[in-house]
């Protein structure tokens, strides 16, 4: 089942607000980097197979600077297997990490879980990104979950554009769509705690609008099991939808009778 194709057409989301992390299927590293509303100066690579990183003597770990991040975006990080990193401001901050903090980071990368919340004053990090087969299973910690909702809205619109549409002249071309505003996704927040799927592949399109169905899926850690459950949704009425008005470029959300 685990055939990798760029631009998967479903997005599974399960938000753990108390733990400040999100489990996802279908969001890949380049989409994440493009979608987050902040710039990342450096990434401390906890688990990877990147060949062009810089080496920090204090942590005995490699890191990617701004140029390295651009190379990572172009690289096959899915093929790394495990791909785990934490962002940081400058190399001097790495040199200030204590032995306890470095042990916590190694545990984080190895087990994809935290001993304590993985946000470090010394590093000034906003994220801890823990992936296995990037895009298949991602567990990402967010200092601010607002960053997640903003990124999710960008990724949804980006995936819509993966499918080329026929123009008035009968030619097929890639379409660009406005990002889904974070506030439009807010009606789904309580369902994201349970686990939901946005299905771009099942979107209904016409000249006036695009409707993306949303289903409550439940809490999955095993994405093989989640995908099997998704494949059985054929006859189940969606629990909500997000709708793009093609004329105005505005998005609306409908979730269990709630309109936004």
């Amino acid at each position: 089942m685990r055939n990798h194709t760029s631009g998967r057409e479903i997005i599974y989301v399960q938000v753990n607000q108390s733990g400040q992390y999100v489990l996802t299927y279908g969001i890949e590293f380049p989409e994440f980097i493009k979608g987050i509303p902040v710039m990342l100066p450096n990434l401390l690579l906890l688990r990877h197979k990147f060949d062009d990183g810089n080496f920090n003597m204090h942590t005995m770990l490699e890191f990617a600077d701004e140029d390295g991040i651009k190379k990572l975006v172009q690289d096959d990080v899915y093929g790394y297997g495990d791909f785990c990193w934490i962002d940081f401001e400058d190399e001097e901050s790495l040199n200030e990490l204590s032995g306890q903090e470095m042990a916590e980071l190694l545990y984080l990368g190895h087990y994809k879980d935290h001993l304590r919340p993985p946000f470090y004053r010394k590093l000034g990090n906003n994220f801890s990104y823990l992936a296995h087969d990037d895009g298949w299973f991602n567990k990402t910690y967010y200092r601010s979950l607002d960053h997640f909702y903003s990124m999710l809205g960008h990724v949804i619109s980006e995936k819509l554009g993966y499918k080329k549409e026929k123009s008035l002249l009968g030619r097929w071309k890639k379409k660009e769509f406005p990002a889904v505003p974070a506030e439009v996704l807010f009606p789904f927040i309580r369902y994201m705690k349970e686990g939901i799927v946005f299905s771009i592949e099942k979107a209904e399109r016409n000249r006036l609008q695009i409707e993306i169905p949303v289903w409550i899926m439940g809490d999955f850690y095993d994405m093989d099991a989640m995908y099997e459950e998704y494949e059985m949704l054929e006859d189940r009425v969606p629990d909500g939808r997000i709708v793009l008005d093609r004329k105005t470029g505005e998005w609306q959300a409908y979730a269990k009778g709630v309109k936004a």
Side-chain angles (χ1 to χ4, degrees):
M1 178 183 295
R2 199 173 299 202
N3 292 326
H4 174 63
T5 55
S6 181
R8 291 190 177 96
E9 293 185 293
I10 76 165
I11 300 172
Y12 171 78
V13 171
Q14 196 267 317
V15 176
N16 186 308
Q17 290 186 327
S18 60
Q20 288 183 260
Y21 66 80
V22 183
L23 300 179
T24 61
Y25 166 97
I27 299 177
E28 301 175 4
F29 176 69
E31 296 170 324
F32 173 88
I33 292 294
K34 187 175 180 179
I36 55 175
V38 294
M39 295 293 292
L40 301 183
N42 302 283
L43 307 181
L44 181 63
L45 303 173
L46 305 175
R47 303 272 289 187
H48 69 102
K49 293 181 181 177
F50 185 50
D51 293 329
D52 207 8
N54 301 300
F55 189 74
N56 175 257
M57 289 295 295
H58 180 67
T59 60
M60 303 294 285
L61 293 170
E62 291 185 284
F63 67 93
D65 57 16
E66 185 177 349
D67 288 337
I69 294 172
K70 292 177 182 176
K71 293 176 182 177
L72 276 168
V73 167
Q74 299 298 321
D75 207 3
D76 176 25
V77 297
Y78 171 85
Y80 293 179
D82 285 341
F83 178 51
C84 305
W85 54 262
I86 185 168
D87 59 293
F88 66 96
E89 293 178 352
D90 54 59
E91 189 173 7
E92 186 57 38
S93 65
L94 295 183
N95 298 332
E96 296 176 0
L97 290 173
S98 67
Q100 174 64 31
E101 289 167 330
M102 288 190 286
E104 291 171 3
L105 290 173
L106 292 175
Y107 183 95
L108 184 71
H110 186 71
Y111 288 104
K112 299 181 181 60
D113 202 0
H114 63 279
L115 291 171
R116 68 182 180 93
F119 303 104
Y120 295 88
R121 178 187 55 79
K122 295 173 184 176
L123 300 182
N125 67 299
N126 286 300
F127 311 100
S128 294
Y129 186 99
L130 313 170
H132 179 71
D133 294 344
D134 182 63
W136 185 269
F137 173 88
N138 290 47
K139 181 179 183 181
T140 308
Y141 290 82
Y142 293 82
R143 185 181 293 273
S144 170
L145 282 170
D146 287 344
H147 289 166
F148 166 71
Y149 299 118
S150 177
M151 182 273 297
L152 177 60
H154 279 83
V155 174
I156 290 172
S157 65
E158 188 77 7
K159 286 185 180 295
L160 272 180
Y162 288 156
K163 278 197 170 182
K164 296 180 179 180
E165 296 194 339
K166 189 175 289 188
S167 69
L168 293 175
L169 299 176
R171 296 172 183 163
W172 293 90
K173 63 178 182 178
K174 185 179 184 296
K175 289 283 289 183
E176 291 188 4
F177 299 101
V180 183
E183 58 268 23
V184 170
L185 296 171
F186 287 169
F188 293 102
I189 286 180
R190 60 175 172 161
Y191 304 120
M192 289 182 188
K193 296 176 185 178
E194 302 177 48
I196 65 174
V197 157
F198 297 86
S199 180
I200 287 83
E201 71 175 0
K202 296 182 185 294
E204 296 183 4
R205 303 171 183 242
N206 58 43
R207 290 189 305 104
L208 300 178
Q209 63 184 26
I210 300 175
E211 292 191 11
I212 299 175
V214 181
W215 283 276
I216 299 171
M217 294 290 293
D219 185 353
F220 287 91
Y221 203 84
D222 181 343
M223 294 306 168
D224 286 300
M226 182 281 298
Y227 201 86
E228 289 175 3
E229 184 76 14
Y230 168 76
E231 289 184 316
M232 295 190 293
L233 288 174
E234 194 67 37
D235 298 323
R236 196 176 120 190
V237 175
D239 298 298
R241 63 190 188 279
I242 53 175
V243 181
L244 173 66
D245 185 310
R246 285 181 178 267
K247 184 176 180 180
T248 65
E250 294 181 351
W251 286 93
Q252 289 186 320
Y254 303 85
K256 291 285 189 179
V258 178
K259 177 181 174 182

